[in-house]
Amino acid sequence: MKLHFTRTNAGDTIFKSLEKELDADLAVRDGIEHGFYAQFNKTDSSIPAIIATNEAGEPVGIGAYKIYEPGTVEIKRMFVPPVNRGNGIA
């Protein structure tokens, strides 16, 4: 699969759409502990983000990062929908 990557921020509407899928996926995985973990998954809409799209321009993955200091970041909100997994996107 040939991928195209677009730099944006976490406020991007496409990013937000896949982020909602991520949150739904995490709610299932986390089970009754989801409320606890969800508090750590808040994303400031201004943080840098990347959207991966396929050859048809369809979004197939997202990722973001929070900068702590020069040279130090935390990877945030990385997600590939189940239908697109196994294609080397992440």
Side-chain angles (χ1 to χ4, degrees):
M1 172 183 293
K2 185 173 180 175
L3 298 173
H4 175 74
F5 297 95
T6 303
R7 291 181 183 187
T8 186
N9 61 51
D12 183 286
T13 56
I14 295 170
F15 182 93
K16 287 299 210 186
S17 176
L18 282 178
E19 186 179 42
K20 285 182 184 178
E21 288 185 44
L22 167 60
D23 288 335
D25 183 68
L26 289 174
V28 171
R29 290 174 189 248
D30 295 343
I32 61 171
E33 295 178 342
H34 182 67
F36 172 77
Y37 292 118
Q39 69 180 322
F40 302 110
N41 292 331
K42 305 297 181 216
T43 306
D44 182 322
S45 62
S46 67
I47 70 169
I50 295 174
I51 299 170
T53 54
N54 62 17
E55 302 92 345
E58 301 163 333
V60 295
I62 58 170
Y65 58 95
K66 180 178 179 181
I67 301 170
Y68 284 97
E69 60 185 59
T72 305
V73 301
E74 176 185 5
I75 302 299
K76 307 283 289 178
R77 312 309 280 160
M78 193 168 180
F79 178 70
V80 174
V83 69
N84 295 305
R85 293 179 186 164
N87 292 310
I89 298 165

